[in-house]
Amino acid sequence: MRRQLMQATVASLIETGFARTTTVEICRRAGVTRGALLHHFDSLADLFAATLAQLYEQFLAGSDGAGGEDGPVDGEALVDGLWRHFSRPEYKAVIELWLASRNEPELGAVLAPTILKIRDLANPRLNPQLLARLGQSAEAVAFYRLVLEAMIGMALGRAVTPGDGVMGHEDLVLAMLSRMARQVLGDPV
């Protein structure tokens, strides 16, 4: 039932946005009563937090895009792997929740631990495993941050493009990032 409610939440966030993702809408999509929702989650904010955590787990579970789990990172695989995650339709739900947490302080307080956890995992200076794979150079760390920020920007662009269509410059940006990856991180072994 929890999974069903979280799936309905993601679908609503993607299709209608945060403002229209209400308990009534989620329950309608999940085919359950409001009482069932409140049996599994103390509040709508708790459902949003669980949904965001689940989305992060899904993204992290498939994060094989850096050339394996051990050894130096493969820059091109890193770019491709990250884009596979950021270009997923579900990432629009993440963006909706990020923005809502910024604009609604009470929701922000509930979502903050989940948002901070993923922020720290994505920060090479706070994630020793990631730093070891990237290497210690400031340029490699800055490049990784550049890739993340470019991906978030393109995902945001997709989220606000009518019809959630692919923007015409994505392939060019990805090719540029891959070329930069070879320069900064070296060719794969």
Side-chain angles (χ1 to χ4, degrees):
M1 178 66 66
R2 286 177 63 88
R3 184 180 317 142
Q4 190 175 339
L5 287 162
M6 288 187 279
Q7 288 171 341
T9 301
V10 170
S12 182
L13 288 166
I14 291 169
E15 294 170 24
T16 66
F18 176 77
R20 286 181 252 141
T21 300
T22 63
T23 54
V24 171
E25 179 62 18
I26 292 166
C27 290
R28 183 190 68 76
R29 287 172 181 266
V32 302
T33 64
R34 187 172 187 271
L37 185 150
L38 293 175
H39 174 74
H40 292 281
F41 299 97
D42 291 336
S43 66
L44 185 56
D46 289 336
L47 172 57
F48 287 143
T51 300
L52 186 61
Q54 179 194 40
L55 287 169
Y56 284 160
E57 287 175 22
Q58 288 173 357
F59 296 151
L60 290 172
S63 63
D64 61 346
E69 292 186 19
D70 297 320
V73 70
D74 174 337
E76 288 185 74
L78 173 75
V79 170
D80 292 342
L82 286 171
W83 185 237
R84 271 196 308 277
H85 296 294
F86 283 99
S87 65
R88 291 173 61 176
E90 294 88 351
Y91 208 80
K92 182 176 182 181
V94 172
I95 290 170
E96 290 283 342
L97 290 173
W98 280 354
L99 294 174
S101 74
R102 172 94 170 133
N103 295 319
E104 295 194 13
E106 291 159 6
L107 177 63
V110 175
L111 294 181
T114 304
I115 292 171
L116 293 175
K117 179 181 175 185
I118 200 69
R119 182 201 67 188
D120 292 351
L121 283 173
N123 184 338
R125 298 291 183 214
L126 299 175
N127 181 340
Q129 292 173 314
L130 179 58
L131 184 62
R133 297 206 52 234
L134 286 172
Q136 300 290 323
S137 82
E139 187 176 44
V141 170
F143 174 73
Y144 180 76
R145 298 300 305 172
L146 170 69
V147 171
L148 285 181
E149 291 166 13
M151 301 280 175
I152 291 168
M154 289 194 305
L156 179 58
R158 275 190 174 193
V160 299
T161 298
D164 298 325
V166 175
M167 297 178 299
H169 64 280
E170 291 174 2
D171 289 339
L172 181 59
V173 170
L174 295 171
M176 291 170 69
L177 289 172
S178 290
R179 283 194 305 274
M180 289 175 68
R182 285 191 297 275
Q183 288 179 302
V184 174
L185 302 173
D187 289 322
V189 179

